[in-house]
Amino acid sequence: MKALLFCQFVLLISLCQVQANDCKLPESLSGMTILFNISDSYTPHNMMAGVLLQSKFDKSQYDIEVLDTGERFSGKYKYQRVKPQIARFTVEEGMRGSLTQYSKTLVCQTDRMGFVLFKLLQKPKQSVPAHDIGIYVIQSSLKTE
């Protein structure tokens, strides 16, 4: 399963490199609202797969609303743009006993949308790490770039 996901991710990066050499991810997520839709085709046991998430970011905190159910989550995040077309952010939600950690790697297709690779790093009572791919759309930004 990991090998298949990795191959798909490499293919997505390759396609993005060919199609969107001019796209750029933001240097910061502060002030942004981003929609995420994680595919449920690869790991249907991931509770967030297949739902539409709206994420709002400030300097180091974020809020997520699951638009399908109205559930809300918040926590801390760290963002790093690796290349203009590739960035990664890691997230921590909850407290020590119930801490959830995951990462999302973004690969732009245009300046406003692209592909996302989701990886669950730690979850309470976690048995199998979840990995998924999906799409993202930058819905709004307080910054003008």
Side-chain angles (χ1 to χ4, degrees):
M1 180 58 107
K2 286 184 183 181
L4 176 62
L5 232 121
F6 178 73
C7 290
Q8 289 172 339
F9 182 65
V10 170
L11 179 62
L12 287 176
I13 289 174
S14 300
L15 288 173
C16 288
Q17 292 287 351
V18 170
Q19 291 179 348
N21 286 329
D22 294 336
C23 72
K24 291 182 183 171
L25 286 158
E27 292 186 32
S28 166
L29 296 181
S30 184
M32 296 196 147
T33 300
I34 302 177
L35 297 175
F36 291 98
N37 183 259
I38 304 299
S39 172
D40 58 357
S41 301
Y42 302 101
T43 51
H45 60 272
N46 177 357
M47 294 182 344
M48 293 298 176
V51 300
L52 187 59
L53 306 171
Q54 180 178 358
S55 301
K56 295 182 180 187
F57 299 89
D58 69 15
K59 189 173 180 177
S60 63
Q61 301 281 327
Y62 70 92
D63 292 303
I64 296 175
E65 180 179 0
V66 181
L67 296 178
D68 302 60
T69 65
E71 284 182 279
R72 294 180 183 268
F73 304 93
S74 62
K76 298 178 186 179
Y77 78 95
K78 291 181 184 175
Y79 176 79
Q80 178 185 16
R81 190 170 83 166
V82 180
K83 290 180 153 187
Q85 301 86 10
I86 301 172
R88 180 174 188 229
F89 67 96
T90 54
V91 168
E92 289 187 357
E93 289 176 8
M95 305 297 256
R96 287 186 186 244
S98 62
L99 184 66
T100 298
Q101 295 177 316
Y102 60 88
S103 69
K104 288 184 180 177
T105 302
L106 307 176
V107 181
C108 67
Q109 188 174 21
T110 70
D111 286 349
R112 293 184 50 94
M113 67 177 287
F115 302 97
V116 60
L117 174 65
F118 170 85
K119 180 178 181 184
L120 183 63
L121 303 171
Q122 175 184 329
K123 184 173 181 168
K125 301 177 186 174
Q126 176 182 349
S127 59
V128 178
H131 303 3
D132 268 313
I133 61 173
I135 59 170
Y136 74 88
V137 176
I138 298 174
Q139 186 178 16
S140 66
S141 171
L142 297 178
K143 297 181 179 184
T144 55
E145 297 184 44

